[in-house]
Amino acid sequence: MTERRAMAASTSSDDESSGAESWIEWFCKQEGNEFFCEIDQRYIDDNFNLYGLREIIGQSFKKCLDVILDRADSDEVLDQTVQDLYGLIHARFIVTKRGQDKMRRKFKNCEFGVCPMLPCQQQPVLPSGLKDHIDIHSVMVYCPRCNNIMLPSMKTGGRYGDEVDLDGAYFGSTFPHLFLMQFPELRPAPPIKMPEYVPRVFGFKVRLPPPPEQVDEDEVMQDSNAVEDKTV
């Protein structure tokens, strides 16, 4: 009887620990982090996948990694550095087959938003970085239908509002294009052709004046300096 109670208590304890939310699950649920997918812990455990990141993150690399893997409590002082480390690992993970499968589900659910261009007919977009290094450019989204990149926005209440404030290096410049090579069936048709818009005032066509000529500021400065030299 005692052994059974001990086994039952052990099983209950295991269930509670297995049901506890991990740091990765908590982080991906935070407002503003919806573009992230959950990286498999075994991927992070493989040192090969972390090669070169210690030099980027610096002395706090070990502490930040322990926070991500639930081996240490989070520290507000290191919050941004922990996010940077997770983001850089994330950029590597989403170009793997497992990572792309996770991002595919998010793409099909329009979790990255849709293209605002009317000819694209609400085509789902993909996150993309313009640069692969942190602190250079924020994340953009790529529309595979019109082949343009644009600023992303969060979908709240059925409408797109606040901009997403994440580093572009968390997704990298390779991901969206490799993703469409991996899943060619998701590549959309070209944008639909729209009739040319004609501006009207009270139903009458408006003849717009030609745009003003662009003035080269350098030439203006040179001309003004020449005039000053002559007057002197």
Side-chain angles (χ1 to χ4, degrees), residues 32 35-36 80 83-84 126-142 149-153 163-173:
F35 278 19
F36 286 114
Q80 183 59 51
Q83 176 172 303
D84 286 342
L126 290 161
S128 177
L130 297 183
K131 302 293 181 180
D132 295 317
H133 302 285
I134 57 175
D135 299 328
I136 296 181
H137 203 285
S138 60
V139 66
M140 307 287 283
V141 290
Y142 168 75
I149 59 171
M150 59 208 76
L151 290 172
S153 60
E163 293 181 358
V164 178
D165 185 20
L166 293 174
D167 199 299
Y170 299 165
F171 304 89
S173 58

Side-chain angles (χ1 to χ4, degrees), residues 22-23 26 28-29 32 49 54 64 73 80 97 119 131 157 172 181 185 189 202 225 231:
S22 68
W23 182 91
W26 169 84
C28 292
K29 290 179 181 178
N49 299 322
R54 184 183 296 273
C64 294
D73 295 332
Q80 183 59 51
K97 181 62 170 64
K131 302 293 181 180
M181 292 173 64
E185 71 278 6
F202 299 120
N225 291 336
T231 55

Side-chain angles (χ1 to χ4, degrees), residues 125-225:
V125 294
L126 290 161
S128 177
L130 297 183
K131 302 293 181 180
D132 295 317
H133 302 285
I134 57 175
D135 299 328
I136 296 181
H137 203 285
S138 60
V139 66
M140 307 287 283
V141 290
Y142 168 75
C143 175
R145 193 162 193 180
C146 64
N147 200 37
N148 285 322
I149 59 171
M150 59 208 76
L151 290 172
S153 60
M154 297 297 298
K155 186 175 182 181
T156 54
R159 301 183 63 182
Y160 289 88
D162 299 334
E163 293 181 358
V164 178
D165 185 20
L166 293 174
D167 199 299
Y170 299 165
F171 304 89
S173 58
T174 296
F175 164 69
H177 315 295
L178 185 63
F179 177 88
L180 293 170
M181 292 173 64
Q182 179 69 29
F183 304 110
E185 71 278 6
L186 297 180
R187 186 177 292 277
I192 63 172
K193 292 184 178 181
M194 300 292 294
E196 183 180 356
Y197 174 74
V198 179
R200 296 176 183 272
V201 174
F202 299 120
F204 296 98
K205 294 182 180 180
V206 177
R207 179 176 295 179
L208 299 176
E213 295 183 1
Q214 296 293 327
V215 179
D216 192 328
E217 295 183 0
D218 293 336
E219 292 183 0
V220 173
M221 290 296 294
Q222 291 175 2
D223 293 341
S224 62
N225 291 336

